[in-house]
Amino acid sequence: MKYDVGIIGSGPAGLSAAIYAKRANLSAVVIEKEYEGTGQIAESGQVDNYPGFPGISGYDLGENFREHAVKLGVSFMEQEVTEIKKEASSDFELVFADGSQVEAKTVIYAAGATPRRANIPGEQEYAGKGVSYCAICDGSFYRGKSVAVLGGGDTALDDAVYLADVAEKVYVIHRRKEFRGAAVTVAKLREKENVIFVLEHQVKEIIGEQKVTGVVLEDAAVIDVNGVFVAYGAVPQTDLLKKFAVLDDSGYVRAGETGETALEGLYVAGDAKTKKLRQVVTAVSDGANAATAVAEYLK
Ligand code: NAP
């Protein structure tokens, strides 16, 4: 069978694309590597910024999206796509790790990006119990508490600005003296009394008792905090698209609002796309836009 659209990735962007594709009467298949909850969102303890569902758990919100897609009759395949083939103006062939493949007239690429991990002891153990990769998602749980932001890029600096209005104390821990992020944000942070810069230091361990209680620096000094926001950048999951010359220098798929890429028939939605705000709400918006653009293209 040749699908109208093969959707790679089953996070909020992929599921939203599937819902819109189904409602546009397209045959759609969602391909997911391994079903472990709905993408990155399943790792967020609580989601407090998705309109209409204050305080819902990330896992439950993802499951709601999935149930919605299933109810509409979206097909799912648990397969790892190892290659995307497309000759000039032909359809797409999606090749799977087990050697099988499916054909699709178009592809919506929604495989997302993963936050770069710090790869230090305690990080995995306390994920969701004080360790977070998203200040906008989880910051409000640290009202009146102390947090550490790790990193010196724009994400870390923006996170620190956001958290300084919520938390009692914000430690910005960065391995160098110079920041990769905007000087204007650094200046803004320096004016805030509750922001403490810990520069030329690196966190080597996150410690706790059921929940995070502190971070240990490489000189063994301990800073007591209730939350750790790792902002070491993100890694877009776009290796499969490298050969098509649709990526920017950081590996994100270049596209505007419709998700249309430079390769005919290939659309992108969610965190793998070039954009400023990577959130559930923007991912589902991307999915809707991409599926609508696909429906128009196929017409
Ligand atoms: P980034 O620019 O890659 O910064 C990552 C930061 O984490 C760097 O300061 C880096 O240190 C540090 N880091 C990475 N791995 C580390 C490790 N193992 N140990 C210690 N430190 C580590 O990532 P980002 O801040 O997420 O930004 C990504 C892109 O999005 C950038 O182009 C950024 O400008 C853009 N962005 C823009 C905005 C905005 O315009 N408001 C907001 C967010 C992001 P070093 O500096 O020493 O390498």
Side-chain angles (χ1 to χ4, degrees):
M1 158 166 191
K2 186 188 289 177
Y3 291 93
D4 288 325
V5 55
I7 298 167
I8 302 177
S10 62
L15 293 176
S16 164
I19 289 167
Y20 273 74
K22 227 23 209 178
R23 287 175 51 80
N25 258 338
L26 304 181
S27 57
V29 61
V30 175
I31 300 151
E32 55 190 354
K33 194 145 97 184
E34 192 180 355
Y35 177 61
E36 297 177 323
T38 305
Q40 270 190 76
I41 185 193
E43 290 174 20
S44 297
Q46 227 179 323
V47 177
D48 233 350
N49 56 6
Y50 191 79
F53 296 90
I56 192 169
S57 83
Y59 185 84
D60 289 347
L61 182 59
E63 289 305 291
N64 288 353
F65 293 155
R66 194 180 179 89
E67 273 171 33
H68 189 162
V70 169
K71 211 169 169 181
L72 290 180
V74 170
S75 315
F76 287 82
M77 267 185 198
E78 213 173 46
Q79 288 279 10
E80 181 182 359
V81 180
T82 51
E83 194 183 352
I84 299 175
K85 287 190 189 165
K86 178 172 163 81
E87 306 299 333
S89 62
S90 69
D91 296 328
F92 290 85
E93 278 175 33
L94 306 176
V95 182
F96 301 141
D98 67 3
S100 63
Q101 56 184 63
V102 293
E103 279 189 292
K105 293 179 194 166
T106 61
V107 166
I108 296 178
Y109 194 84
T114 50
R116 184 171 290 118
R117 311 280 155 168
N119 288 323
I120 50 175
E123 183 181 27
Q124 216 177 333
E125 188 180 347
Y126 295 110
K129 298 173 189 158
V131 174
S132 169
Y133 300 86
C134 177
I136 294 178
C137 318
D138 298 331
S140 64
F141 306 124
Y142 297 91
R143 202 162 289 284
K145 298 184 172 171
S146 293
V147 297
V149 176
L150 315 190
D154 279 316
T155 300
L157 298 176
D158 286 357
D159 284 359
V161 169
Y162 180 78
L163 290 165
D165 287 338
V166 177
E168 192 184 321
K169 234 183 237 177
V170 179
Y171 295 91
V172 177
I173 307 174
H174 176 39
R175 63 184 170 190
R176 294 186 296 133
K177 232 181 358 206
E178 300 77 25
F179 289 91
R180 194 173 286 277
V184 61
T185 321
V186 177
K188 201 195 261 182
L189 285 169
R190 290 206 189 278
E191 281 171 14
K192 294 189 182 278
E193 280 177 7
N194 64 338
V195 174
I196 300 135
F197 285 100
V198 182
L199 302 181
E200 296 180 273
H201 281 291
Q202 194 147 355
V203 171
K204 68 158 198 193
E205 187 178 353
I206 297 168
I207 52 172
E209 285 163 29
Q210 279 154 30
K211 286 182 175 178
V212 165
T213 57
V215 292
V216 185
L217 304 181
E218 77 287 354
D219 60 4
V222 174
I223 300 177
D224 296 332
V225 289
N226 310 100
V228 179
F229 290 84
V230 181
Y232 283 170
V235 187
Q237 304 296 296
T238 55
D239 283 356
L240 289 174
L241 300 180
K242 269 186 186 154
K243 64 179 180 184
F244 296 123
V246 292
L247 306 182
D248 74 1
D249 290 345
S250 308
Y252 291 96
V253 188
R254 264 188 255 108
E257 195 179 356
T258 61
E260 185 182 352
T261 72
L263 181 71
E264 190 181 346
L266 176 70
Y267 294 74
V268 61
D271 283 7
K273 179 162 113 71
T274 46
K275 60 178 179 174
K276 204 156 173 188
L277 186 63
R278 295 194 164 83
Q279 297 277 291
V280 181
V281 77
T282 60
V284 297
S285 161
D286 287 348
N289 273 306
T292 305
V294 161
E296 277 168 20
Y297 167 76
L298 289 175
K299 247 192 231 164

